[in-house]
Amino acid sequence: MPVALSPILRTAIWAVVAPFGFYCSLLALGSIPFFQRHLLYLHRVNGLWLRDINEPELFGFAKGQVTPFFLTTPDNESIYSWHITPLPLYLQNEEALASQEPGVAPDITATESFRVLKGDPKARIVIYLHGNAGDIAQAHRPDSYHVLTDASPYHVIALDYRGFGYSTGTPSEPGLIQDAATLIDWVINVAGIPPDRIVLLGQSLGTAVASGVAERYAAEGVEFGGIVLVAGFSSLPTMLGGYRMGGVIPVLGPLRAWPSLLRVAEGVIWEKWPSAQRLERLVRLTKTRLRLSLVAAKDDADIPWVESDKLFRAAANATVDGGLEEESFAAWKEERTIRNRDDAFVTTLTAEPNIVIRQELFPYGGHNAIMGHAPVALAVMRCFDLGGTVYTEKTSK
């Protein structure tokens, strides 16, 4: 005869079984490539129906300061982009820029903003590679563009990857890297900006795109002014072990109690995004100059800041013949680290031929707001060698 369960016990059992069943269902769904792509990129989650991103004044920009335009990739996708003129340069050309036709430019090279860019002999470009979800003007992104352009000489060019916002196509690892390469080729070959005046700035997923495209160009002998990776991760399978969607829902974290199940789950992640490997190869391919900055916030609830440690470890490993000894790495790194408080530090490594790798842990900023904080803007400035002394050793406690 079956034993009757009390209402309290039944409720307690369901309180455990229901979330577990929901989690297992999500894992099963996420193993299917179609659904995995949507869960990873969240490219259909955006606010296009709420506001017109072809009217950048909505986001606090001056009239004509931002020019929306499309680029066509070699595989015939249309990639939506913004060219943001720095305010100091805008002020010098305000009448012309404010009078240009609003909305998407049919031909970006025929616009006043392109004329200003092309005619700027000191033009420096920040190529902004955003994270997953949303579109080019989602959430914190316009504010972070403002930080870079309001009082600096930097032009910012941001793009929506294929499948995001108004861009056509479906996102994929090679596709996103191709989108970034298409923009870089346009900046170099059409706008006429040499690579040493270009900084790649990636956040979250954008750090993986930046690492992939930088490695691709390094293999062709092209070296950029710098690469800044904010809230980066070593590889997608590794990162998902500690990742929480929205800072709350763990993805693969619960499986760490069962290593064999975790390995199975990692094995069905179809796109790996191996940034640590790519950065290691990038350093080894460097012939002339490299400025690589890794920035993370201690209070990042989405991607643990220790993922930046893994990126630094991989990049640093490539600067030493035979690699760094695992046992002595912590002490080796500490010699190059300045700690001003328990939850913040800066580690700087200099190596031949002219390589500077810098890792900064900042106490605040979370996963997204950090993009508008001082460490990111300063990292861009350092890439252009606009700073003073480069600290290579711990000089004080």
Side-chain angles (χ1 to χ4, degrees):
M1 181 174 181
V3 178
L5 299 177
S6 70
I8 294 177
L9 183 57
R10 283 199 302 270
T11 301
I13 291 174
W14 273 108
V16 173
V17 171
F20 180 74
F22 178 71
Y23 177 71
C24 290
S25 299
L26 280 181
L27 285 182
L29 196 65
S31 67
I32 301 171
F34 173 82
F35 293 107
Q36 187 176 119
R37 181 181 300 114
H38 281 266
L39 289 170
L40 166 61
Y41 296 112
L42 295 175
H43 52 293
R44 296 304 183 194
V45 179
N46 60 58
L48 293 179
W49 59 283
L50 285 173
R51 72 278 193 271
D52 184 5
I53 63 174
N54 291 323
E55 188 180 354
E57 292 95 316
L58 282 172
F59 309 97
F61 295 101
K63 187 175 185 296
Q65 183 187 359
V66 179
T67 305
F69 66 103
F70 282 94
L71 290 174
T72 302
T73 66
D75 54 344
N76 209 36
E77 300 295 353
S78 294
I79 304 303
Y80 182 83
S81 307
W82 273 9
H83 167 221
I84 308 169
T85 303
L87 269 185
L89 187 61
Y90 174 90
L91 185 60
Q92 298 172 24
N93 299 270
E94 184 173 10
E95 184 177 353
L97 289 171
S99 64
Q100 69 180 8
E101 285 295 318
V104 177
D107 177 5
I108 181 64
T109 63
T111 63
E112 286 297 321
S113 60
F114 182 80
R115 179 190 64 77
V116 169
L117 170 62
K118 188 84 169 177
D120 182 0
K122 298 180 180 179
R124 291 184 172 93
I125 303 288
V126 177
I127 292 180
Y128 190 110
L129 302 168
H130 65 64
N132 71 342
D135 55 58
I136 204 168
Q138 200 84 14
H140 66 283
R141 288 165 192 160
D143 288 341
S144 59
Y145 306 152
H146 278 291
V147 168
L148 293 168
T149 60
D150 280 0
S152 82
Y154 307 141
H155 298 255
V156 169
I157 304 183
L159 80 162
D160 268 335
Y161 315 113
R162 60 187 63 199
F164 287 74
Y166 289 131
S167 297
T168 64
T170 301
S172 67
E173 183 171 350
L176 267 62
I177 292 174
Q178 178 58 67
D179 298 340
T182 299
L183 177 53
I184 291 168
D185 286 345
W186 182 86
V187 171
I188 294 173
N189 300 319
V190 179
I193 309 300
D196 62 359
R197 286 198 268 138
I198 298 171
V199 164
L200 307 182
L201 170 59
Q203 186 249 348
S204 193
L205 173 65
T207 66
V209 179
S211 301
V213 77
E215 177 204 28
R216 172 171 166 174
Y217 278 86
E220 299 170 1
V222 177
E223 298 176 353
F224 297 104
I227 302 157
V228 179
L229 308 180
V230 185
F233 56 92
S234 55
S235 73
L236 186 58
T238 301
M239 182 272 287
L240 289 178
Y243 180 71
R244 291 178 176 269
M245 294 177 63
V248 177
I249 303 173
V251 179
L252 298 183
L255 298 183
R256 284 184 291 185
W258 300 279
S260 57
L261 287 178
L262 179 60
R263 285 193 294 271
V264 170
E266 291 177 345
V268 295
I269 297 172
W270 306 113
E271 296 187 328
K272 307 300 185 184
W273 288 105
S275 294
Q277 294 178 19
R278 285 169 169 159
L279 288 185
E280 186 166 356
R281 186 160 183 261
L282 169 66
V283 174
R284 295 189 191 283
L285 287 168
T286 298
K287 302 299 182 185
T288 305
R289 179 185 178 279
L290 173 65
R291 297 293 181 269
L292 173 62
S293 288
L294 310 169
V295 180
K298 180 70 184 300
D299 62 352
D300 189 332
D302 290 77
I303 297 178
W305 67 268
V306 293
E307 284 292 307
S308 282
D309 268 346
K310 298 172 186 176
L311 294 176
F312 180 85
R313 175 76 169 81
N317 190 64
T319 67
V320 177
D321 289 338
L324 296 162
E325 294 291 337
E326 189 71 36
E327 300 77 11
S328 59
F329 175 72
W332 178 92
K333 183 180 179 184
E334 190 64 26
E335 291 176 357
R336 294 158 176 80
T337 298
I338 297 174
R339 298 180 183 273
N340 295 319
R341 48 188 288 173
D342 293 339
D343 56 357
F345 66 79
V346 174
T347 304
T348 307
L349 164 64
T350 60
E352 297 296 334
N354 182 6
I355 295 172
V356 180
I357 303 170
R358 192 177 192 273
Q359 180 191 2
E360 178 167 2
L361 179 66
F362 197 68
Y364 309 112
H367 188 64
N368 293 322
I370 185 68
M371 291 300 292
H373 287 24
V376 174
L378 287 170
V380 172
M381 294 177 190
R382 290 189 184 96
C383 287
F384 289 128
D385 288 336
L386 299 182
T389 305
V390 175
Y391 290 96
T392 58
E393 296 182 0
K394 180 171 62 178
T395 56
S396 63
K397 189 67 178 176

